[in-house]
Amino acid sequence: MQHFVSVDELDEDKVLALIKRAQYFKQGGKPEKDLSEVYCVNMFFEDSTRTHTSFEMAERKLGLNVLSFDPKQSSVNKGETLYDTLLTMDALGVDLAVIRHSENQYYQKLIDLAPTQTLSIGIVNGGDGSGQHPSQCLLDMLTIYEQFGKFKGLKVAIVGDITNSRVAKSNMELLNKLGAKVFFSGPKYWYDPSFEQYGTYKTLDELVAEVDVLMLLRVQHERHAGDQNEANFSKERYHQEFGLTKERYERLKSDAIVMHPGPINRDVEFASELVEAPKSRFKAQMQNGVFMRMAMLEAVINERNLGGKINEDIN
Ligand code: CP
């Protein structure tokens, strides 16, 4: 694909090919092409630790030429639009931009405009508002696949602040396509009936002993401006009603796994003492992120015919 902005275009074959490629990189495999003349910029207009650093690790491991961009010190502060900022990167010779932005589907108008304008830079979505988070979703798929070797028939619960979560949106869509049985839980005020096209709502206590994957979501306080539920929010109450407590952990199936995209609100979604417990895949998800992002970047690079001659030393 020319851009990697959502999970909409993915099907089972494409997901399995990306997983296979990520596993190849995880086992120490190298890219087949020389990518030192491929230029990539990371443009994070929203805060990030994992995604930003993980993409940069992935880019460096692939051998890309990596440029940094700090929106806080850029001409965005003089009113320059995202389109003109990208046009500038394109003009400077940058091939790919990894972008995180607060606006849902910020990428669509850039892609739609491109054919009538001169913009040709490739876009990889590092998260758009409460829209999509394709790289988090795919690293989650790799983590689930490592545990179960399949998706079909797996029971996956997505729990928490679902309305505001781009991770939840990408995961419910893709898990559904892959044949997993999706359940939802968490506060009804951060749940929307439109999610029912992808799964079924149940209480956490109904789900905890039944599911193969318990996917906890961060409470996204920064997206709750004007939300009365934020004013009434209690960490302790949330943890007791919707969080993974020690008691709930003990009720999980023997081979069940617990996931969280991070950052974690400790003792809110996830009891702090369980974050690195045997069934937790929190650290594995972060590790897998580097290799899945290598696979995603490589897919865009190949589609765009970027990169130099075959590296004879490694083939
Ligand atoms: N999971 C995730 O997107 O984390 P960051 O916000 O730290 O990138």
Side-chain angles (χ1 to χ4, degrees), residues 143-144 146-148 154-157 207-215 244 248-259 270 274 277-282:
T143 308
I144 292 171
E146 279 182 340
Q147 178 75 12
F148 299 103
L154 286 182
K155 293 181 177 174
V156 182
L207 288 172
V208 82
E210 194 182 327
V211 294
D212 302 294
V213 180
L214 184 64
M215 196 177 275
L244 185 64
R248 290 191 179 113
Y249 184 90
E250 299 298 341
R251 291 181 55 218
L252 288 165
K253 284 162 71 170
S254 61
D255 65 344
I257 59 171
V258 182
M259 300 172 70
F270 212 149
L274 299 175
K279 292 181 198 300
S280 170
R281 293 295 177 274
F282 177 57

Side-chain angles (χ1 to χ4, degrees), residues 4-24:
F4 210 134
V5 293
S6 80
V7 299
D8 294 353
E9 289 171 39
L10 296 177
D11 58 22
E12 188 177 3
D13 287 347
K14 286 180 182 158
V15 173
L16 292 176
L18 284 163
I19 288 175
K20 200 167 159 216
R21 197 63 184 156
Q23 287 178 321
Y24 164 81

Side-chain angles (χ1 to χ4, degrees), residues 144-173:
I144 292 171
Y145 193 81
E146 279 182 340
Q147 178 75 12
F148 299 103
K150 63 171 189 176
F151 298 99
K152 213 172 283 300
L154 286 182
K155 293 181 177 174
V156 182
I158 302 176
V159 181
D161 184 358
I162 304 173
T163 301
N164 293 293
S165 173
R166 53 193 169 214
V167 178
K169 310 289 168 45
S170 293
N171 277 343
M172 66 176 82
E173 185 181 329

Side-chain angles (χ1 to χ4, degrees), residues 92-190:
L92 299 180
V94 180
D95 301 292
L96 297 176
V98 178
I99 304 175
R100 170 171 287 190
H101 202 280
S102 58
E103 188 184 325
N104 282 26
Q105 296 195 328
Y106 69 83
Y107 50 81
Q108 203 56 57
K109 58 186 175 226
L110 303 172
I111 294 169
D112 291 347
L113 271 174
T116 56
Q117 311 290 339
T118 62
L119 187 70
S120 65
I121 196 166
I123 298 169
V124 179
N125 185 10
D128 60 293
S130 59
Q132 288 268 330
H133 199 340
S135 66
Q136 178 69 47
C137 174
L138 283 162
L139 75 87
D140 287 347
M141 296 309 117
L142 170 58
T143 308
I144 292 171
Y145 193 81
E146 279 182 340
Q147 178 75 12
F148 299 103
K150 63 171 189 176
F151 298 99
K152 213 172 283 300
L154 286 182
K155 293 181 177 174
V156 182
I158 302 176
V159 181
D161 184 358
I162 304 173
T163 301
N164 293 293
S165 173
R166 53 193 169 214
V167 178
K169 310 289 168 45
S170 293
N171 277 343
M172 66 176 82
E173 185 181 329
L174 195 57
L175 282 164
N176 212 265
K177 261 190 217 174
L178 296 173
K181 196 162 168 47
V182 176
F183 296 93
F184 301 108
S185 195
K188 275 285 181 83
Y189 43 84
W190 291 328

Side-chain angles (χ1 to χ4, degrees), residues 167-297:
V167 178
K169 310 289 168 45
S170 293
N171 277 343
M172 66 176 82
E173 185 181 329
L174 195 57
L175 282 164
N176 212 265
K177 261 190 217 174
L178 296 173
K181 196 162 168 47
V182 176
F183 296 93
F184 301 108
S185 195
K188 275 285 181 83
Y189 43 84
W190 291 328
Y191 177 77
D192 191 286
S194 66
F195 303 147
E196 268 149 36
Q197 62 184 302
Y198 299 110
T200 309
Y201 183 94
K202 290 190 178 189
T203 67
L204 184 52
D205 286 318
E206 284 176 297
L207 288 172
V208 82
E210 194 182 327
V211 294
D212 302 294
V213 180
L214 184 64
M215 196 177 275
L216 307 170
L217 301 172
R218 182 173 67 87
V219 179
Q220 305 214 14
H221 295 291
E222 74 277 17
R223 298 194 201 280
H224 294 167
D227 181 342
Q228 191 54 37
N229 300 299
E230 178 67 24
N232 298 330
F233 186 77
S234 151
K235 289 179 182 178
E236 294 73 24
R237 202 169 53 233
Y238 184 96
H239 188 58
Q240 283 312 314
E241 284 185 50
F242 310 116
L244 185 64
T245 59
K246 184 96 177 129
E247 292 68 33
R248 290 191 179 113
Y249 184 90
E250 299 298 341
R251 291 181 55 218
L252 288 165
K253 284 162 71 170
S254 61
D255 65 344
I257 59 171
V258 182
M259 300 172 70
H260 192 304
I264 294 173
N265 293 308
R266 283 178 179 253
D267 292 323
V268 180
E269 306 100 25
F270 212 149
S272 191
E273 63 181 319
L274 299 175
V275 170
E276 293 168 74
K279 292 181 198 300
S280 170
R281 293 295 177 274
F282 177 57
K283 191 170 179 186
Q285 287 171 270
M286 296 189 282
Q287 288 165 334
N288 284 340
V290 174
F291 306 109
M292 181 48 81
R293 289 177 173 116
M294 289 173 78
M296 292 171 68
L297 289 162

Side-chain angles (χ1 to χ4, degrees), residues 26-97:
K26 191 169 180 175
Q27 286 153 15
K30 305 283 182 215
E32 275 89 30
K33 288 196 228 166
D34 174 9
L35 302 177
S36 59
E37 290 300 318
V38 179
Y39 290 84
C40 182
V41 65
N42 297 308
M43 307 172 77
F44 279 66
F45 295 87
E46 269 195 342
D47 295 340
S48 168
T49 296
R50 268 150 295 274
T51 312
H52 193 163
T53 315
S54 175
F55 263 115
E56 192 160 332
M57 276 296 284
E59 291 151 8
R60 289 180 191 276
K61 278 177 175 276
L62 284 172
L64 296 174
N65 220 315
V66 184
L67 285 79
S68 60
F69 171 86
D70 180 3
K72 293 188 185 77
Q73 294 188 321
S74 75
S75 290
V76 169
N77 294 326
K78 301 174 199 164
E80 190 162 40
T81 63
L82 180 59
Y83 182 86
D84 285 343
T85 306
L86 271 193
L87 190 64
T88 305
M89 296 298 152
D90 196 9
L92 299 180
V94 180
D95 301 292
L96 297 176

